[in-house]
Amino acid sequence: MHKDCERVLISEAELKNMVKAMADRISEDYKGKKLLLVGLLKGSVMFMADLMKELSIDCKIDFICVSSYGSSTETSGRVNLIKDVSQPVEGMDVLIVEDIIDSGNTLAFILKYFQAKGVNSVKICTLLSKPDRRVVQIPVDYVGAEIPDEFVIGYGLDYAENYRNLPYVGILKRSVYS
Ligand code: IMP
Ligand code: MG
């Protein structure tokens, strides 16, 4: 385990099972649809790669990147799109792939953004969710795990751009950020 980690919250093996179960549901639900997975950079990268490998249906993929103003452990309501998708999305069944939902600000913005683009449908798939921290209520269609209000790192998730490469999800030691 990394020295800045308090403890492992979700192990590599648990993540694998979790992602497979989500992919199975998505494969079933999106049969015959025009699935476009849209990952949010950079946190979703590891989850997205594992999720798409487990899908048994055809899909396209793309990425968007947003910036949000706020401290490094909390986002604000102000979200800016800094990289858009690079293909037409009209008529597509867009599934937003996110690492974690905290306040809900980021995804509330992204949902509205895609709804205005004439997609056939837009849904949300997140590896993790912290329901106790929600400020904006948004519909979340696929959730890997609901977790307590702790700052987590690994499996794509960062603190100050570090720890994304850890193969598990761990709780960051408070001494690292306070
Ligand atoms: P929201 O807009 O408040 O829902 O924040 C979502 C974004 O905040 C995620 O995409 C993450 O980048 C970041 N975030 C929220 N909680 C954590 C955490 O515990 N660890 C790492 N990043 C987090
Ligand atoms: Mg982040």
Side-chain angles (χ1 to χ4, degrees):
M1 193 179 69
H2 193 285
K3 64 169 175 46
D4 293 346
C5 223
E6 184 72 49
R7 65 185 173 91
V8 173
L9 188 65
I10 311 175
S11 72
E12 223 178 321
E14 286 167 334
L15 283 166
K16 195 169 165 38
N17 290 335
M18 195 181 279
V19 173
K20 173 78 167 75
M22 294 176 93
D24 287 349
R25 275 188 58 207
I26 293 165
S27 300
E28 192 57 40
D29 296 351
Y30 283 86
K31 259 185 201 152
K33 300 208 168 188
K34 291 183 180 167
L35 176 59
L36 173 63
L37 298 176
V38 176
L40 257 79
L41 293 173
K42 293 168 255 186
S44 72
V45 163
M46 217 183 276
F47 174 41
M48 176 94 156
D50 286 347
L51 185 73
M52 59 196 260
K53 278 189 282 187
E54 299 287 0
L55 292 178
S56 60
I57 54 168
D58 292 344
C59 71
K60 293 182 177 171
I61 70 159
D62 216 314
F63 292 95
I64 55 174
C65 187
V66 296
S67 69
S68 154
Y69 302 89
S71 75
S72 46
T73 56
E74 270 177 53
T75 63
S76 71
R78 289 163 61 208
V79 182
N80 255 6
L81 189 73
I82 54 180
K83 183 228 170 289
D84 201 352
V85 289
S86 59
Q87 59 194 289
V89 296
E90 289 74 22
M92 296 299 288
D93 293 293
V94 171
L95 185 59
I96 310 292
V97 180
E98 172 65 311
D99 53 357
I100 188 164
I101 306 179
D102 188 49
S103 68
N105 283 322
T106 306
L107 282 178
F109 169 86
I110 287 166
L111 268 185
K112 263 194 227 141
Y113 181 74
F114 278 99
Q115 279 159 353
K117 277 189 171 239
V119 296
N120 187 53
S121 67
V122 55
K123 289 189 173 184
I124 294 172
C125 171
T126 186
L127 180 74
L128 304 173
S129 172
K130 293 183 194 171
D132 298 346
R133 302 254 315 164
R134 210 56 44 85
V135 173
V136 188
Q137 292 308 321
I138 42 163
V140 186
D141 304 277
Y142 306 92
V143 185
E146 294 197 332
I147 63 165
D149 181 10
E150 299 271 12
F151 199 84
V152 291
I153 50 165
Y155 200 68
L157 291 146
D158 75 303
Y159 173 68
E161 296 298 330
N162 291 313
Y163 316 111
R164 292 194 196 273
N165 59 316
L166 301 179
Y168 50 83
V169 173
I171 295 175
L172 183 64
K173 280 186 183 162
R174 279 181 189 270
S175 57
V176 177
Y177 61 90
S178 59

